[in-house]
């Protein structure tokens, strides 16, 4: 199915949910907007044809110049806990929802980020810089390529509009796609207004979690809320387990950046680790390390408690809601160990494996090993010991660990060739390292999308080696070692 933009049916269910939830507000167009990159893979999934993408109407919509046919753009309100502290009202300060389109995968909401001021902009200018827009565009597709739940990115627009941060930069707009951009913070915002909160709950359940109502009598809000919380908890646990096992740090796990659908959203100062550090912090503004790699699971759990507290605004039994969240750790470990089992090339997860995994993290940390290269090298480590050991600063510790690992492999009957293939299908060769994103940003500043396209090609199939692209799989070169990322976006 392929359709021209004017023929696309656009629904505005969220905008129609009630005037409390969002404000109708037009975008502020950019000066001399140019389509720098368009995600043709995602466009195809959405049923948008190449002709559609090439038409001037497409650029007009994704650059904020005109709304989708027969619709209005809206900005949503939400609140949130930022760095553990209640921040009160936030909302889409630089984002506009265009509405949902129907796709074979269900309805998908389109949202522009960087599209101008809204009633929720506070002191902000409503803009996003090209640098952070390239990073969001690349990261959402990289995560999708890794099979991790995420919002997607359809288009990247650059412009001649200046933005003032530490220096003068270029304003850009990313078109993001997800079934919904509702956040934990949306529920927190309405926690003291039961009528509105109930409408939000019903909307989210009916649209995205209809199974929560199965077999439950109408009006049993307690049961519905508990089931919703259980689902969100499980999805969030799986998402964070997936982050941990690719070395992804989100950077700003505030409750306003937590999707009610368990998707990775709001890519800012995120990072895929190069050298493994158990308490790695990618966000330079996070001076206390609240969102370090090793705290992400417990922070996600904490955020779920904030969601549960918000739901209590429906006059529910708090014990029932809290009990639901006791399963978070079980869900997390289930996924985390399943991922580790596959990454280690094991047929099953057995006694002693959790210890082997802990020892692995310790080895990576003290050995200052590259996260991605170390996992990838495991597949051939038993046969090519020297190559493997060369990845670690302390060869002796690595030798000891490898001896345990090799012993563990003897406890299962699997052809080494098949084991290697299985492992190479789950341990990525290419990840979105900061320095790779930086190269794409520099080119993007010259209106050159070639580096973005190269990265997208590799990151969409991150397990498959592409001859000639060895450099993209390497640890950062020396020029990039001290690369400092600005947090302003
Ligand atoms: P973030 O840290 O990007 O998730 O943003 C936190 C809050 O600040 C959200 O409500 C954003 O909409 C808002 N915000 C961030 N940057 C800007 C900006 N340049 N202009 C307006 N609002 C912004
Ligand atoms: Mg945000």
């Amino acid at each position: 199915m392929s359709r021209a933009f004017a023929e696309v049916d656009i629904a505005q269910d969220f905008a129609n949910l009630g005037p409390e939830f969002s404000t109708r507000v037009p975008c502020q167009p950019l000066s001399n907007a140019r389509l720098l990159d368009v995600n043709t893979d995602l466009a195809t999934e959405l049923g948008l044809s190449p002709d559609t993408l090439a038409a001037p109407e497409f650029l007009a919509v994704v650059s904020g110049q005109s709304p989708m046919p027969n619709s209005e753009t809206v900005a949503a309100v939400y609140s949130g806990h930022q760095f553990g502290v209640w921040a009160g009202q936030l909302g889409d300060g630089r984002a506009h929802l265009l509405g949902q389109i129907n796709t074979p995968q269900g309805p998908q909401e389109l949202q522009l980020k960087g599209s101008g001021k809204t009633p929720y902009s506070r002191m902000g200018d409503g803009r996003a810089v090209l640098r952070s827009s390239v990073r969001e565009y690349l990261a959402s597709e990289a995560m999708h390529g890794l099979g991790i739940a995420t919002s997607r990115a359809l288009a990247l627009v650059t412009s001649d509009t200046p933005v003032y941060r530490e220096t003068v930069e270029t304003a850009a707009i990313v078109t993001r796609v997800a079934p919904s951009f509702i956040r934990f913070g949306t529920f927190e915002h309405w926690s003291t207004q039961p009528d509105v909160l109930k409408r939000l709950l019903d909307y989210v359940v009916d649209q995205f979690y209809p199974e929560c109502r199965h077999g439950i009598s109408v009006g049993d809000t307690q049961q519905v809320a508990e089931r919703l919380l259980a689902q969100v908890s499980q999805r969030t646990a799986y998402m964070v387990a997936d982050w941990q096992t690719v070395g992804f740090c989100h950077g700003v796990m505030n409750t306003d950046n937590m999707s009610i659908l368990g998707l990775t959203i709001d890519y800012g100062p995120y990072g895929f680790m190069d050298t493994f550090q158990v308490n790695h912090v990618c966000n330079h503004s996070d001076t206390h390390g609240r969102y370090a790699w090793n705290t992400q699971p417990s922070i996600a759990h904490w955020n779920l408690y904030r969601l549960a507290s918000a739901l209590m605004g429906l006059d529910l039994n708090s014990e029932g809601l809290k009990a639901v969240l006791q399963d978070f750790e079980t869900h997390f470990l289930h996924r985390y160990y399943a991922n580790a089992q596959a990454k280690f090339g094991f047929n099953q997860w057995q006694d002693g494996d959790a210890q082997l995994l802990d020892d692995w993290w310790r080895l990576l940390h003290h050995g200052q090993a590259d996260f991605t290269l170390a996992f990838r090298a495991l597949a051939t480590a038993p046969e090519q010991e020297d190559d493997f050991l060369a990845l670690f600063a302390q060869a002796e510790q690595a030798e000891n660990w490898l001896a345990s690992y090799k012993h563990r492999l003897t406890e299962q009957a699997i052809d080494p060739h098949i084991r290697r293939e299985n492992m190479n299908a789950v341990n990525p060769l290419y990840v979105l390292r900061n320095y790779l994103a930086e190269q794409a940003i520099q080119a993007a500043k010259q209106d050159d999308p070639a580096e973005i396209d190269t990265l997208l090609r590799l990151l969409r199939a991150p397990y498959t080696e592409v001859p000639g692209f060895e450099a993209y799989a390497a640890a950062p070169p020396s020029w990039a070692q001290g690369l400092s990322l600005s947090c302003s976006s």
Side-chain angles (χ1 to χ4, degrees):
M1 175 191 58
S2 187
R3 49 199 172 173
F5 224 39
E7 294 160 9
V8 172
D9 264 336
I10 189 99
Q12 296 206 277
D13 292 356
F14 180 73
N16 294 331
L17 184 56
E20 299 89 346
F21 296 99
S22 59
T23 303
R24 291 171 200 268
V25 55
C27 301
Q28 292 175 305
L30 298 171
S31 142
N32 190 20
R34 282 104 61 199
L35 193 57
L36 186 61
D37 212 86
V38 60
N39 184 345
T40 46
D41 284 24
L42 176 59
T44 305
E45 286 175 42
L46 297 175
L48 303 174
S49 70
D51 288 350
T52 305
L53 304 177
E57 300 86 68
F58 183 74
L59 174 61
V61 170
V62 297
S63 66
Q65 205 169 14
S66 43
M68 294 279 283
N70 310 314
S71 69
E72 282 180 280
T73 53
V74 304
V77 69
Y78 50 82
S79 289
H81 280 81
Q82 297 186 314
F83 292 90
V85 179
W86 176 243
Q89 179 180 309
L90 302 164
D92 292 333
R94 51 170 167 175
H96 292 75
L97 288 166
L98 299 173
Q100 315 119 255
I101 58 178
N102 283 319
T103 80
Q105 293 78 38
Q108 296 286 332
E109 195 95 59
L110 303 188
Q111 187 189 54
L112 304 185
K113 179 171 174 180
S115 38
K117 283 190 192 169
T118 76
Y120 316 110
S121 300
R122 295 173 292 155
M123 306 295 281
D125 58 6
R127 292 301 183 198
V129 300
L130 179 60
R131 169 173 48 81
S132 67
S133 305
V134 171
R135 281 170 52 82
E136 171 141 20
Y137 187 76
L138 289 172
S140 33
E141 291 311 293
M143 294 293 262
H144 181 71
L146 290 165
I148 301 178
T150 179
S151 62
R152 304 285 303 276
L154 177 65
L156 173 61
V157 167
T158 188
S159 74
D160 289 346
T161 302
V163 196
Y164 303 91
R165 298 290 184 262
E166 284 96 343
T167 58
V168 184
E169 299 196 44
T170 301
I173 295 180
V174 177
T175 305
R176 314 197 286 188
V177 181
S180 172
F181 289 93
I182 294 175
R183 298 130 197 281
F184 290 13
T186 318
F187 282 81
E188 288 180 283
H189 187 73
W190 297 110
S191 67
T192 57
Q193 295 197 45
D195 296 353
V196 188
L197 183 60
K198 178 67 169 39
R199 235 186 308 143
L200 178 64
L201 174 79
D202 286 340
Y203 175 78
V204 168
V205 168
D206 291 340
Q207 293 259 341
F208 310 110
Y209 295 95
E211 64 283 3
C212 291
R213 292 206 201 280
H214 291 172
I216 288 184
S217 52
V218 179
D220 190 346
T221 305
Q222 178 81 33
Q223 280 288 324
V224 171
E226 283 182 19
R227 286 196 185 180
L228 173 69
L229 188 62
Q231 294 273 324
V232 177
S233 172
Q234 178 170 355
R235 287 194 194 187
T236 305
Y238 285 6
M239 173 189 77
V240 177
D242 289 352
W243 291 358
Q244 299 305 95
T245 48
V246 296
F248 175 82
C249 300
H250 183 280
V252 200
M253 289 177 72
N254 295 336
T255 55
D256 51 295
N257 290 337
M258 298 293 293
S259 150
I260 200 70
L261 302 182
L263 305 172
T264 314
I265 55 166
D266 281 17
Y267 292 91
Y270 68 84
F272 286 87
M273 268 192 271
D274 296 308
T275 303
F276 179 72
Q277 208 190 359
V278 71
N279 52 353
H280 176 74
V281 179
C282 59
N283 180 355
H284 293 216
S285 321
D286 182 7
T287 42
H288 296 288
R290 179 177 171 86
Y291 300 135
W293 177 81
N294 58 342
T295 62
Q296 295 189 125
S298 58
I299 290 289
H301 199 188
W302 189 89
N303 288 342
L304 284 157
Y305 273 97
R306 304 288 73 74
L307 177 61
S309 296
L311 289 169
M312 282 174 206
L314 292 165
D315 196 23
L316 303 179
N317 165 357
S318 65
E319 294 312 313
L321 288 169
K322 274 197 239 155
V324 166
L325 294 185
Q326 283 169 9
D327 293 335
F328 177 83
E329 186 177 345
T330 309
H331 293 313
F332 172 79
L333 288 178
H334 171 78
R335 181 74 159 224
Y336 177 66
Y337 288 149
N339 290 351
Q341 177 191 322
K343 289 172 86 75
F344 278 170
F346 296 163
N347 289 344
Q348 58 173 22
W349 194 251
Q350 63 186 45
D351 278 357
D353 289 346
Q355 184 62 51
L356 193 71
L357 178 59
D358 275 354
D359 292 344
W360 169 249
W361 296 131
R362 207 165 288 122
L363 173 67
L364 292 188
H365 181 89
H366 292 297
Q368 293 161 43
D370 183 87
F371 189 105
T372 306
L373 293 181
F375 269 110
R376 184 77 178 187
L378 264 181
T380 50
E383 298 81 20
Q384 298 169 25
E385 288 200 12
D386 289 346
D387 290 347
F388 177 74
L389 296 177
L391 294 171
F392 300 89
Q394 285 124 329
E396 195 187 333
Q397 282 176 11
E399 266 175 67
N400 291 339
W401 186 88
L402 184 57
S404 308
Y405 178 68
K406 282 164 75 175
H407 177 76
R408 171 65 179 82
L409 288 178
T410 63
E411 293 173 10
Q412 64 182 18
I414 179 167
D415 179 77
H417 179 72
I418 293 178
R419 178 181 57 76
R420 280 197 294 275
E421 276 196 358
N422 290 346
M423 291 174 75
N424 283 339
V426 293
N427 290 312
L429 183 61
Y430 308 107
V431 293
L432 183 58
R433 297 173 185 275
N434 274 336
Y435 87 90
L436 295 174
E438 190 58 31
Q439 289 175 340
I441 290 165
Q442 294 311 329
K445 286 180 177 170
Q446 310 301 320
D447 271 23
D448 176 4
E451 204 54 36
I452 293 175
D453 289 333
T454 300
L455 284 176
L456 287 184
R457 176 180 163 211
L458 298 174
L459 296 170
R460 277 188 182 128
Y463 309 105
T464 309
E465 195 168 345
V466 183
F469 290 83
E470 290 74 15
Y472 290 82
S478 49
W479 66 259
Q481 301 281 346
L483 194 69
S484 174
L485 287 179
S486 168
C487 302
S488 61
S489 58

